[in-house]
Each structure stands twice: as C-alpha cells, then as structure tokens.
C-alpha cells in the first residue's frame, strides 16, 4: 500500500470510528461497541466503502491501542486497594471470578469448539470491562454510594486475575506440543513477570529517575518508549504485549511522575484504543454472526444470572441491602476491552473461526445492555428475592438515585 493510501486509510479509520461513536453517544451508548461497529461497517467484509482492505495494515497502530489501554490500567492499579479492603473484598472478588470464569469455562466446553477455545471463553465471560464500569459509576453519580468501593475492589481483583490468566494462556495459545515445552515457555514468561514485579517493588526509584522531567514533551516520549519497549520484550519472552504494558504502568505508578503520566497518557490511550476496537471490527464479517446468534444469547443470559448472583453474595458479605446487591450485579455486567484482548489472541493463534464473531456479538450486546440496565437498577430490585436480605438495624442502604446514600 502506498504512503498516501495508508494515510487516507488511517485518517479515515479515526474519523469513521469517531463519527459512529458520536452518533451513538447522542442516545447514551458507550463508545467501545460503536468503535467495533464502525470497523464492521467500513471493513472489507461489508458492502460499500471499505476504508481498509486488509486489517493487518492497522496491526501496529491497533497494538499501540492495546498497549496504552493496559499501560493506563497499570498506572491506576494499587495493591493497597486490596490490602485495605481485607478478606471480605478478596472473598467478594474471588466469588465473582469463581462464578463467572467457572460458568464461562463450562459454557466453553458445552459449545464444543475445542479446549483452547474454552479457555478463551472462560476469560471472555468471566472478566468485566473496567472502562465501562468506571465510566458508569461516574455517569450515574454513584461514586458516593457505599457499594461503589466494593465494585471498584472487584475490578481490581479481576485485573490481577487477568494478568495471571494471560500469562498462563500464552504458552497454551503459542502451540506448545508437550508438557515439557509448555513448562519451559511458562517458566520464561513467569521469570519475566517476576523480574518486572521485583522492579515494581524495589526499583521504582531508579525507573523514576529515568523518566522524571519537568518537560511534559520529554516525559511523554520517555513513558511511551518504556511502554512500547516493555511490551515488545514481553512478546519475546512469551508474555502478552498487553501484560508487558500493564507491568511497566504498575512500575511507573510508584514514581513521583505518576500523576502527570496519567494525565498525559489519556489522549494517547483514547485515540489509539479507538483504533484497536475499530481494527477488531474490521476482521468481522456480518455473515459470520448467523451461526453464533444462539450461543451469544445463551452466554448473555448466563452472564446476567451469574452477575446478579455474585452481586447478591458480595452484598451479603458486606451487609448491604438488596438495592446495593442489584447495583453491584448490573454495574459489573458489561464486557469490553478485556474480551477483545482475548479475541485478538485467539485470532493470532488461529483458533476456531467462530470465536471472533461470537466475542464481537457478546461484547456488543453486553456493552450496550449493561449500562441501560445499571441505570434502571431501582426498577429491577425484585430480581433478587427479598428474603435473602432481611431488614437489619443499621444496615447500609444504597439508593438507586444519583449519589444518594442513606442508612436504614
């Protein structure tokens, strides 16, 4: 492709993603599924204008989107959130993962697409979207609600699990032919992660001296270089580039420049992440949705039931009321960026061709349905039987109204 064609395709992709998302935002839809939709509409598999004939042409740009997404998540991550939450927070997050990942794994084996495919589906169904969940809490003005800290805690536990899960998946998806080969691949990946964890624990000051500068321009250049370089090294050691980016974000989160980096990386994250979702949409042919419609519907219903159950258990652990339980279950219902990360890994590994359209349809439905249901959780409180939450004196009560909290 000539340079002029590449620039036109790249600029057109940004604009197409922005225009479709802007139109959807007028009726309150989140951006992630709309960026995907733009990729499908303007992709090579849909009649009409095809901005990009070969999705591989956006491979590097899309990879930057994934890198900046996970890099930012690493910057936001803090083990203190788990430590301060104590055992009940770990229990709530663990139960959420047990129900959702376990249900996803059972679903994966039930559809019969293969063992490696089942492992991908376990992560897809088991992990909610941090981006959508965080945005929902802000948009619904519920950050002041008592259950919101628990919701954010569950997201943190999910993030830790995701990092470990991706590291475990890499040797499996890499096509290791026997247990010994898989063990060696995992050993290399684990050693790399341990090294980065040690740097995060004890070497933050050294890394801080490398990047810290009063000049914002130079700071952007330095942290971008570190994020991309670490992502590349991670790939070399058999770890996902996404986890490499997450780990360097975790390291930089301990430096004095962390606050400025979070601010400066925002536009990079938003712009390139849009291309990541758009590029994923390019790989989807609308005709591929037909065979996966029924599995998508079953998976959506399963996820809804599992999330409501997890919300009820988490609320009981923290002595919250029935409304808080519904708020928790519906707020963490949306699926988004992490499911698409797993879909990208599945495509690269050459897994069953039904995975990509299934994940796209599943994410699209829940990324839209989740916010709509969360905003109406007050009307859906009867989803949880009242006897599960008998009235107790001093029980913490979270109302459905924006930011309103009262105690019974």
């Amino acid at each position: 492709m000539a340079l002029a064609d590449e620039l036109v395709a790249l600029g057109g992709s940004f604009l197409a993603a922005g225009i479709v998302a802007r139109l959807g935002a007028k009726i309150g839809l989140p951006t992630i599924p709309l960026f995907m939709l733009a990729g499908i509409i303007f992709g090579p598999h849909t009649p009409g204008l095809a901005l990009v004939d070969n999705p591989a042409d956006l491979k590097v740009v899309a990879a930057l989107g994934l890198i900046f997404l996970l890099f930012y998540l690493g910057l936001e991550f803090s083990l203190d959130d788990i430590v301060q939450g104590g055992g009940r927070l770990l229990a709530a997050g663990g139960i959420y993962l047990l129900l959702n990942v376990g249900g996803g794994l059972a679903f994966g084996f039930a559809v019969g697409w293969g063992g490696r495919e089942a492992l991908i589906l376990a992560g897809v169904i088991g992990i909610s979207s941090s981006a959508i969940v965080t945005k929902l809490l802000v948009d619904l003005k519920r950050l002041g609600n008592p259950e919101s800290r628990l919701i954010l805690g569950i997201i943190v536990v999910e993030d830790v699990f995701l990092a470990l899960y991706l590291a475990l998946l890499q040797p499996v998806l890499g096509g290791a032919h026997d247990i010994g080969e898989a063990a060696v691949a995992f050993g290399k990946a684990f050693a790399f992660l341990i090294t980065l964890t040690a740097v995060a624990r004890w070497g933050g000051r050294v890394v801080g001296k490398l990047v810290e500068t009063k000049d914002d321009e130079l700071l952007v250049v330095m942290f971008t270089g570190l994020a991309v370089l670490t992502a590349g090294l991670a790939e070399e050691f058999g770890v996902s580039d996404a986890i490499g980016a997450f780990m360097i974000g975790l390291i930089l989160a301990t430096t004095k420049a962390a606050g400025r980096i979070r601010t400066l990386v925002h536009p990079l994250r938003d712009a390139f992440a849009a291309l990541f979702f758009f590029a994923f949409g390019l790989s989807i042919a609308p005709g591929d949705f037909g065979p996966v419609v029924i599995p998508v519907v079953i998976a959506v219903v399963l996820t809804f039931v599992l999330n409501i159950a997890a919300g009820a258990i988490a609320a009981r652990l923290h002595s919250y009321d029935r409304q808080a339980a519904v708020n928790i279950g519906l707020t963490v219902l949306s699926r988004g960026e992490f499911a698409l990360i797993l879909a990208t890994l599945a495509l690269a590994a050459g897994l069953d061709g039904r995975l990509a359209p299934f994940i796209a349809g599943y994410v699209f439905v829940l990324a839209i349905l989740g916010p709509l249901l969360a905003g109406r959780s007050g009307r859906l409180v009867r989803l949880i039987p009242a006897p599960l939450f008998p009235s107790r004196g001093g029980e913490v009560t979270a109302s459905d109204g924006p930011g309103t909290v009262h105690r019974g």
Side-chain angles (χ1 to χ4, degrees):
M1 184 185 291
L3 177 59
D5 294 334
E6 291 181 359
L7 292 176
V8 168
L10 183 59
S13 298
F14 273 115
L15 281 175
I19 290 171
V20 172
R22 186 175 180 181
L23 292 173
K26 292 182 181 296
I27 54 175
L29 298 180
T31 57
I32 289 176
L34 296 171
F35 290 148
M36 289 167 47
L37 179 61
I40 295 172
I41 293 172
F42 295 101
H45 307 293
T46 304
L49 175 63
L51 290 171
V52 181
D53 292 325
N54 183 4
D57 292 339
L58 293 181
K59 183 178 180 179
V60 174
V61 180
L64 287 175
L66 181 57
I67 288 169
F68 282 122
L69 269 173
L70 271 294
F71 175 69
Y72 182 80
L73 183 62
L75 286 169
E76 291 290 325
F77 181 82
S78 173
L79 286 175
D80 291 341
D81 293 338
I82 295 179
V83 174
Q84 292 173 6
R88 288 192 303 172
L89 176 57
L90 284 172
I95 289 170
Y96 180 88
L97 287 171
L98 181 65
L99 286 174
N100 284 273
V101 175
L105 187 62
F107 172 83
F109 282 115
V111 295
W113 294 346
R116 294 193 296 171
E117 287 79 359
L119 292 174
I120 290 289
L121 289 171
V124 168
I125 292 175
I127 305 293
S128 57
S129 169
S130 293
I132 296 177
V133 169
T134 305
K135 192 171 188 299
L136 264 178
L137 291 174
V138 174
D139 291 348
L140 295 175
K141 297 182 173 63
R142 290 183 184 168
L143 284 174
N145 283 15
E147 78 275 9
S148 293
R149 184 173 178 273
L150 174 57
I151 291 171
L152 293 173
I154 290 174
I155 294 299
V156 170
V157 174
E158 281 187 312
D159 294 343
V160 175
F161 172 81
L162 178 72
L164 297 174
Y165 196 66
L166 285 177
L168 288 169
L169 271 182
Q170 203 67 24
V172 177
L173 298 181
H177 296 96
D178 54 50
I179 295 177
E181 188 177 343
V184 171
F186 178 73
K188 286 172 58 181
F190 187 72
F192 182 75
L193 289 174
I194 289 296
T195 300
L196 289 182
T197 302
V199 174
R201 180 66 179 86
W202 294 291
R205 182 175 299 178
V206 175
V207 178
K209 290 180 178 179
L210 174 64
V211 301
E212 286 170 11
T213 171
K214 295 180 179 179
D215 190 317
D216 285 349
E217 177 186 6
L218 294 179
L219 183 57
V220 170
V221 172
M222 293 300 293
F223 74 66
T224 298
L226 274 176
V228 176
L229 176 62
T230 309
L233 290 174
E235 282 284 327
E236 289 289 338
F237 280 89
V239 182
S240 166
D241 55 353
I243 293 306
F246 174 84
M247 293 302 296
I248 195 62
L250 186 65
I251 292 169
L252 290 178
T254 65
T255 67
K256 294 179 181 178
R260 290 170 57 211
I261 294 174
R262 290 189 194 98
T263 300
L264 293 170
V265 79
H266 260 271
L268 293 172
R269 181 202 66 179
D270 293 343
F272 286 101
L275 259 293
F276 169 70
F277 299 124
F278 180 87
F280 180 77
L282 291 174
S283 65
I284 305 299
D288 291 343
F289 286 116
V292 299
V293 168
I294 293 177
V296 165
V297 172
I298 294 173
V300 167
V301 173
L302 175 66
T303 305
F304 179 82
V305 172
L306 292 175
N307 274 256
I308 291 297
I313 295 171
R316 283 297 301 266
L317 282 174
H318 287 74
S319 300
Y320 293 156
D321 71 347
R322 191 163 58 139
Q323 181 63 69
V326 175
N327 285 354
I328 294 168
L330 295 181
T331 302
V332 296
L333 180 62
S334 296
R335 299 298 187 263
E337 64 276 15
F338 297 143
L340 298 185
I341 290 169
L342 291 170
T344 302
L345 293 177
L347 284 171
L351 301 188
D352 193 298
R354 289 169 290 189
L355 270 178
F358 168 84
I359 294 172
Y362 174 75
V363 168
F364 191 82
V365 171
L366 283 181
I368 292 175
L369 191 63
L372 292 177
L373 292 178
R376 293 162 177 78
S377 60
R379 304 173 191 174
L380 300 173
V381 69
R382 293 181 182 177
L383 289 170
I384 297 178
L388 292 177
F389 290 86
S391 178
R392 292 189 293 268
E395 178 186 55
V396 178
T397 304
S399 81
D400 184 48
T404 304
V405 180
H406 64 274
R407 295 183 181 272

